[in-house]
Amino acid sequence: MPDFTDDLNGKSILITGGTGSFGRRFVKHVLTHYRPRKLVVFSRDEMKQWEMSLDPVIQDNPAVRFFIGDVRDQSRLEMAMRDTDIVIHAAALKHVPAAEYNPFECIHTNVLGAEHVVNSAIRCDVGQVIALSTDKAANPINLYGASKLASDKIFIAANNLSGKSPTRFAVVRYGNVVGSRGSVIPLFQKMIRDGADHLPITDERMTRFFITLDQGVAFVLSCLGMMSGGEIFVPKIPSMHITDIAAALAPDLPVRFTGIRPGEKLHEVMIPEDSARNTVEMQDRYVIEPEMVWWSRKDLPRDIAKPVAEDFSYASNTNVDWIDATQLRALIEDEAH
């Protein structure tokens, strides 16, 4: 398999939502393995930026710049993106129930924020933009998923808008992140530490995709070296039953089934069947190619990128790759280090 990882040495990089779980891990990875000319952490929480600045890998590194701002503010984004080669868009409102209860806030950040990132990147002649998406954007049934589907469409269509600008846009879509805030695993771990007498699970049939933060960062970086513009990159990652997660973390603790919450799915889909005709399979990923007249497949050689079957879909319950309790505990231990 060819190495598509882009060389970030000497590049100017900006990450929105840079103080989130992904952002922190991304910044540390880039500083550890590359020598960027500039690495801008763009976020709206000054306390999180200050705490992040104390990390030994980040502290006193002349390449790192902390920039207070919100993706809702396009003028601030444009100011931050000046002289930038690469933008990673990780900022989002991600909590499903909170989005259902606060729909306007969700739309302002996830949809209008995507528009602002696109417009700012084009005006600043940014070279590459990768937007982080979610499995909930495929066949969405909640507002968070619908807003991220809209965001995906915005970033794909942005390749039609860039004109003579060199800016190209692509999307990375993956599942639940082991160890990230809001994930079921940290929730269960906190409940266990706090002495809970049971673990709540909404439905015993529920399955989810899982990926670690390090795997997510490495996958995003590999897509930078592969993208032509307009693709949705989907990693091949394992699934797990939520009941198995509870059993792995607390085998002696009973579970209580509470019923599916509003906007929640039994299983997650990353590639719906309707997208199969535009999807190719590679060794470690799928690529949903854009339906655009200018798109060419020349950049993904057919010997390593083969079309999937017409009835193909990629869902957490029909996945061929599953992890057990032992493998999950190993993933959690790796994340802790």
Side-chain angles (χ1 to χ4, degrees):
M1 180 73 179
D3 182 6
F4 288 104
T5 304
D6 196 31
D7 188 353
L8 302 182
N9 293 332
K11 297 289 181 66
S12 177
I13 307 162
L14 179 144
I15 178 166
T16 70
T19 54
S21 301
F22 177 90
R24 294 196 305 272
R25 189 65 58 90
F26 176 87
V27 169
K28 291 181 67 172
H29 180 95
V30 169
L31 293 178
T32 301
H33 294 91
Y34 302 95
R35 296 182 303 279
R37 176 168 51 86
K38 182 172 64 173
L39 180 48
V40 178
V41 177
F42 185 92
S43 71
R44 61 184 182 178
D45 191 324
E46 74 276 14
M47 179 57 71
K48 290 179 182 176
Q49 289 193 2
W50 178 76
E51 292 171 346
M52 186 173 172
S53 71
L54 300 179
D55 188 292
V57 176
I58 299 171
Q59 194 172 31
D60 299 324
N61 191 307
V64 180
R65 318 286 171 83
F66 288 96
F67 209 102
I68 298 291
D70 195 317
V71 294
R72 300 181 182 200
D73 185 346
Q74 184 173 321
S75 63
R76 188 67 172 164
L77 265 173
E78 282 190 38
M79 185 177 294
M81 281 191 199
R82 291 175 301 182
D83 190 32
T84 296
D85 301 306
I86 297 168
V87 169
I88 308 297
H89 178 47
L93 292 181
K94 303 174 183 177
H95 193 256
V96 171
E100 297 295 306
Y101 192 74
N102 302 278
F104 302 143
E105 299 304 303
C106 178
I107 294 299
H108 275 286
T109 295
N110 294 354
V111 180
L112 299 182
E115 178 187 357
H116 295 160
V117 170
V118 165
N119 288 334
S120 300
I122 291 174
R123 292 179 182 179
C124 293
D125 285 334
V126 172
Q128 295 173 289
V129 179
I130 285 188
L132 302 192
S133 185
T134 168
D135 47 13
K136 295 172 179 61
N139 293 341
I141 65 168
N142 53 57
L143 184 63
Y144 168 56
S147 69
K148 292 302 287 185
L149 174 60
S151 173
D152 291 356
K153 297 290 188 181
I154 288 170
F155 280 102
I156 292 167
N159 292 279
N160 289 328
L161 307 176
S162 52
K164 294 182 179 180
S165 169
T167 313
R168 290 295 174 262
F169 302 84
V171 173
V172 166
R173 176 186 292 168
Y174 53 66
N176 293 270
V177 179
V178 176
S180 71
R181 291 176 301 175
S183 173
V184 66
I185 293 174
L187 172 63
F188 281 175
Q189 289 174 321
K190 182 179 186 305
M191 295 183 69
I192 294 166
R193 289 194 303 269
D194 292 345
D197 59 1
H198 73 280
L199 294 179
I201 297 176
T202 56
D203 192 286
E204 62 181 335
R205 298 165 292 174
M206 190 165 289
T207 64
R208 290 293 184 266
F209 289 105
F210 282 96
I211 188 172
T212 67
L213 277 172
D214 285 334
Q215 290 169 340
V217 169
F219 187 75
V220 167
L221 291 175
S222 73
C223 293
L224 279 172
M226 186 185 299
M227 62 176 283
S228 296
E231 307 95 337
I232 298 178
F233 294 97
V234 179
K236 293 182 178 180
I237 55 177
S239 296
M240 195 168 189
H241 288 277
I242 304 301
T243 52
D244 289 343
I245 295 174
L249 297 178
D252 299 323
L253 205 59
V255 299
R256 184 176 300 168
F257 299 111
T258 59
I260 294 180
R261 299 175 298 177
E264 190 172 41
K265 288 183 178 181
L266 271 180
H267 312 292
E268 293 291 0
V269 177
M270 285 206 281
I271 303 176
E273 185 175 327
D274 288 335
S275 296
R277 63 182 178 272
N278 302 112
T279 300
V280 295
E281 180 179 7
M282 303 178 70
Q283 181 179 346
D284 64 342
R285 73 194 67 199
Y286 298 99
V287 184
I288 305 175
E289 299 176 324
E291 297 181 272
M292 296 176 176
V293 294
W294 50 263
W295 171 256
S296 170
R297 293 186 172 187
K298 64 181 185 301
D299 294 322
L300 292 179
R302 292 301 95 178
D303 59 332
I304 61 171
K306 300 183 181 300
V308 301
E310 290 186 1
D311 60 350
F312 172 81
S313 68
Y314 190 37
S316 60
N317 61 319
T318 58
N319 195 2
V320 297
D321 187 9
W322 292 78
I323 51 176
D324 58 23
T326 301
Q327 292 169 314
L328 177 65
R329 285 191 285 266
L331 286 178
I332 294 172
E333 185 175 343
D334 287 343
E335 280 298 285
H337 299 325

